[in-house]
Amino acid sequence: MKNEYLPYPAIIEQVGEETYDTKTFYLKLRDGRRKFRYQPGQFVELSIFGYGEAPISITSSPTEETLKLCVRRIGKVTEKLHALRANDVVGIRGPFGKSFPVAEIKGKDLVFVAGGLGLAPLRSLIKTAFDCRADFGKITVLYGARTPNDLLFRDEYEAWGHNKDTELLTTVDTASEGWQGNVGVVTTLFTKTEFIPEKSVAVVCGPPVMFRFAIRELLKMGFAKDSIVVTLERLMKCGIGKCGHCNIGHKYVCIDGPVFRYSEIEGLGGAV
Ligand SMILES: Cc1cc2nc3c(=O)[nH]c(=O)nc-3n(C[C@H](O)[C@H](O)[C@H](O)COP(=O)(O)OP(=O)(O)OC[C@H]3O[C@@H](n4cnc5c(N)ncnc54)[C@H](O)[C@@H]3O)c2cc1C
Ligand code: FES
């Protein structure tokens, strides 16, 4: 039987610099015969042997060859991870958690609303949708970061924008010299494009304050509560529903989420 507490060794194949504090790690399981299967929206527990573990969203899509994790340097484990190079080995447990409801949202227009590092888990679904383009309607990606230097996956925007019936709008809280785009929080982008809420699903991830404002605006525009999908972060330890660290109300984010429809978590203390 699979032991969910046991990390599996994975080799870092490549490291991509996203920003001054965020890198994308391309991983391959050391036992090449083992296929790592996951769905967009799931996460792994990433361990650095001797240092500890951290839950990290899977940023690649199952349609890609390599497992990719986009990680911000913030504390003990992520500092150590950022010091690693190609051919170093890390541990992976998972995949864990509920995925985005990919089959149920087929045929819908997709409106992604991301703030900061929130684009990392959404990228998995964005890439899946682009790789199965005929399965979805219009795709709109609205993405906000603190400054232009904080925008993730910048080298992919051009390719994303070339997809049929796709719109990508970015914004920053504070512009730097040369920035010609929008300035303001991500919800200011809502007025710069058009949605048909009845045929759309909004997928939201970002810092807590962004969730509140984004959901409020989406509801005002006419999105139904079960057409707003969020992916949440909470402090986690086990990742498998045993330690009780990640609960919101009666739900455990690690097994009942991290992906929820807004209708499932509305009113749960401190959910969004
Ligand atoms: C489901 C899930 C998916 C995640 N996906 C990503 C991802 O794709 N990329 C990424 O960079 N990070 C992600 N995170 C956050 C990441 O797990 C934490 O930043 C991680 O704990 C850092 O480990 P550390 O040992 O480096 O930091 P630590 O030394 O443990 O912590 C540094 C500081 O961050 C705080 N902190 C740690 N975790 C959280 C949290 N979840 N919420 C708020 N504060 C926290 C600590 O209290 C401490 O103040 C995710 C978290 C969850 C629960
Ligand atoms: S992280 Fe242990 S119960 Fe969710």
Side-chain angles (χ1 to χ4, degrees):
M1 208 174 92
K2 192 171 140 198
N3 183 347
E4 292 187 307
Y5 291 101
L6 206 62
Y8 200 82
I11 298 164
I12 299 176
E13 286 198 313
Q14 195 184 324
V15 182
E17 303 267 346
E18 295 292 347
T19 69
Y20 54 93
D21 65 355
T22 305
K23 293 181 180 180
T24 297
F25 296 84
Y26 297 56
L27 302 177
K28 189 175 163 192
L29 293 195
R30 197 157 69 182
D31 180 354
R33 289 165 304 175
R34 228 179 97 124
K35 179 103 178 100
F36 189 80
R37 290 182 203 285
Y38 60 91
Q39 291 299 314
Q42 290 192 289
F43 68 95
V44 294
E45 286 284 348
L46 172 91
S47 54
I48 308 290
F49 302 113
Y51 283 83
E53 265 193 329
I56 302 292
S57 309
I58 300 174
T59 200
S60 47
S61 96
T63 53
E64 290 177 280
E65 279 289 310
T66 323
L67 174 69
K68 294 179 190 163
L69 306 179
C70 177
V71 182
R72 177 169 292 163
R73 195 180 64 242
I74 190 167
K76 198 174 157 204
V77 172
T78 51
E79 287 271 3
K80 186 65 191 165
L81 176 71
H82 271 238
L84 299 184
R85 302 276 171 268
N87 296 320
D88 286 334
V89 176
V90 296
I92 293 286
R93 291 194 295 128
F96 296 131
K98 292 235 173 81
S99 62
F100 293 112
V102 179
E104 292 160 44
I105 62 178
K106 278 188 181 167
K108 297 277 189 184
D109 289 355
L110 303 183
V111 180
F112 293 94
V113 185
L117 193 58
L119 189 60
L122 300 199
R123 184 195 173 277
S124 182
L125 181 59
I126 292 170
K127 192 72 175 58
T128 301
F130 285 148
D131 290 344
C132 310
R133 191 66 194 87
D135 288 345
F136 300 93
K138 184 184 173 194
I139 297 178
T140 307
V141 180
L142 307 178
Y143 178 40
R146 279 176 300 186
T147 71
N149 286 340
D150 291 290
L151 290 164
L152 300 178
F153 310 121
R154 271 173 284 185
D155 55 352
E156 301 190 31
Y157 298 167
E158 200 181 330
W160 291 2
H162 281 141
N163 280 284
K164 189 175 138 267
D165 207 8
T166 298
E167 196 172 15
L168 167 68
L169 299 176
T170 53
T171 185
V172 295
D173 297 343
T174 311
S176 51
E177 210 182 314
W179 174 256
Q180 309 213 316
N182 193 70
V183 179
V185 294
V186 71
T187 45
T188 61
L189 296 175
F190 286 170
T191 55
K192 304 201 181 293
T193 182
E194 287 186 358
F195 314 114
I196 307 173
E198 302 75 39
K199 62 183 284 231
S200 306
V201 169
V203 189
V204 184
C205 188
V209 66
M210 191 214 89
F211 275 111
R212 275 192 290 281
F213 284 105
I215 289 170
R216 196 166 71 192
E217 291 301 316
L218 289 165
L219 292 171
K220 260 199 244 164
M221 282 189 284
F223 279 79
K225 288 176 186 171
D226 62 0
S227 295
I228 301 174
V229 176
V230 300
T231 173
L232 300 181
E233 262 192 33
R234 283 298 179 275
L235 285 173
M236 284 188 187
K237 288 281 176 212
C238 69
I240 53 175
K242 305 285 186 205
C243 71
H245 269 83
C246 66
N247 72 302
I248 42 168
H250 59 280
K251 294 200 185 277
Y252 285 161
V253 175
C254 65
I255 51 173
D256 298 317
V259 173
F260 295 95
R261 288 183 190 261
Y262 179 59
S263 49
E264 287 177 82
I265 54 164
E266 185 196 10
L268 282 186
V272 287

